[in-house]
Amino acid sequence: DIQMTQSPPSLSASLGDRVIITCRASQTISNYLNWYQQKPGKAPKLLIYATSSLQSGVPSRFSGIQTGTDFTLTISSLQPEDFATYYCQQTYSAPFTFGPGTKVDIK
Amino acid sequence: QVQLQESGPGLVRPSQTLSLTCTVSGAFVNSGGHYWTWIRQRPGEGLESIGYIRFGTTHLNPALKSRVIISVDPSKNLFSLDLTSVTAADTAVYYCARGVTDHTSGWSWFDPWGPGTLVIVSS
């Protein structure tokens, strides 16, 4: 199985901050990388697919890029509704594994 | 608008079989463009793919493969999960989701998800 890692495991940020979350795969996954947002007690919600494609209806403050073997999710200006846990997922090879998550909370 | 809804018992005895269904609306489970997947999340933990079914063929997480059956019932437009010989370690919120694939690029993602159902394994 492809192992996914994320950093940091958690972070505290203020409204308006720029937040960057990084994800790395244990082997090449090309650009088969998705990002999900999960709020407590709710199902994950797709934010970005194929590394950088914004899902319909997702605010443009969310963006994703790939730099070498690292994938990053950026929230350009943190809003109150963005406090949540974020997961990356590779769909290059089954089983489609997820990262352990990054929890974003209020500073 | 595609919607998914999990259903099944919230409590299962150890060694028994956990059986869940996912009812789909707004899409057909026997349509070729998508696949249907199960994911679980143990309390306080991350997301674990259980497996998926596409064109009647299942692709299962090797860690669970010997205990998992995923099937589709087109007549009821739902798909199902059976997990046998459960233990307390199978206590989790179980999610179903639609898998979407871009057939040109091969990119794939899960969207939408059902709200999830908590299954507790306990005697």
Side-chain angles (χ1 to χ4, degrees):
Chain A
D1 299 2
I2 297 176
Q3 306 302 315
M4 306 300 293
T5 57
Q6 286 183 236
S7 61
S10 64
L11 64 91
S12 296
S14 301
L15 294 178
D17 281 355
R18 182 182 186 89
V19 169
I20 298 175
I21 299 168
T22 300
C23 176
R24 181 177 291 177
S26 60
Q27 62 189 75
T28 184
I29 58 169
S30 185
N31 60 351
Y32 291 69
L33 191 285
N34 307 318
W35 290 98
Y36 299 86
Q37 176 194 65
Q38 186 180 34
K39 296 182 179 179
K42 301 294 186 181
K45 169 190 167 185
L46 177 70
L47 295 177
I48 289 172
Y49 61 93
T51 297
S52 59
S53 296
L54 203 64
Q55 172 68 344
S56 175
V58 173
S60 59
R61 63 181 178 272
F62 291 93
S63 64
I65 63 168
Q66 178 181 7
T67 306
T69 58
D70 287 349
F71 299 85
T72 60
L73 171 70
T74 299
I75 309 173
S76 60
S77 178
L78 198 65
Q79 298 302 301
E81 59 268 30
D82 301 336
F83 292 99
T85 300
Y86 295 85
Y87 294 94
C88 61
Q89 177 204 31
Q90 64 82 20
T91 53
Y92 181 80
S93 173
F96 300 147
T97 44
F98 294 86
T102 295
K103 184 176 181 181
V104 177
D105 61 21
I106 301 173
K107 181 182 286 184
Chain B
Q1 180 186 5
V2 179
Q3 293 183 310
L4 292 81
Q5 178 68 56
E6 305 88 352
S7 59
L11 178 66
V12 180
R13 305 301 183 191
S15 81
Q16 300 301 303
T17 296
L18 180 162
S19 294
L20 297 174
T21 61
C22 180
T23 301
V24 179
S25 59
F28 295 107
V29 294
N30 58 353
S31 68
H34 304 112
Y35 58 96
W36 307 96
T37 185
W38 288 97
I39 309 99
R40 73 179 183 180
Q41 186 170 35
R42 295 188 179 99
E45 298 189 14
L47 301 163
E48 178 182 27
S49 284
I50 297 172
Y52 65 90
I53 186 165
R54 174 189 277 163
F55 300 124
T57 300
T58 56
H59 304 263
L60 305 175
N61 186 330
L64 298 167
K65 186 174 184 177
S66 64
R67 300 194 292 129
V68 169
I69 298 173
I70 296 176
S71 59
V72 167
D73 186 343
S75 69
K76 297 179 180 177
N77 210 40
L78 58 78
F79 61 106
S80 301
L81 169 70
D82 289 316
L83 179 65
T84 63
S85 304
V86 297
T87 70
D90 296 309
T91 293
V93 175
Y94 287 76
Y95 296 100
C96 60
R98 180 183 66 170
V100 180
T101 300
D102 179 305
H103 294 287
T104 301
S105 64
W107 295 321
S108 180
W109 56 91
F110 296 172
D111 181 69
W113 296 53
T117 187
L118 173 63
V119 179
I120 297 172
V121 178
S122 175
S123 55

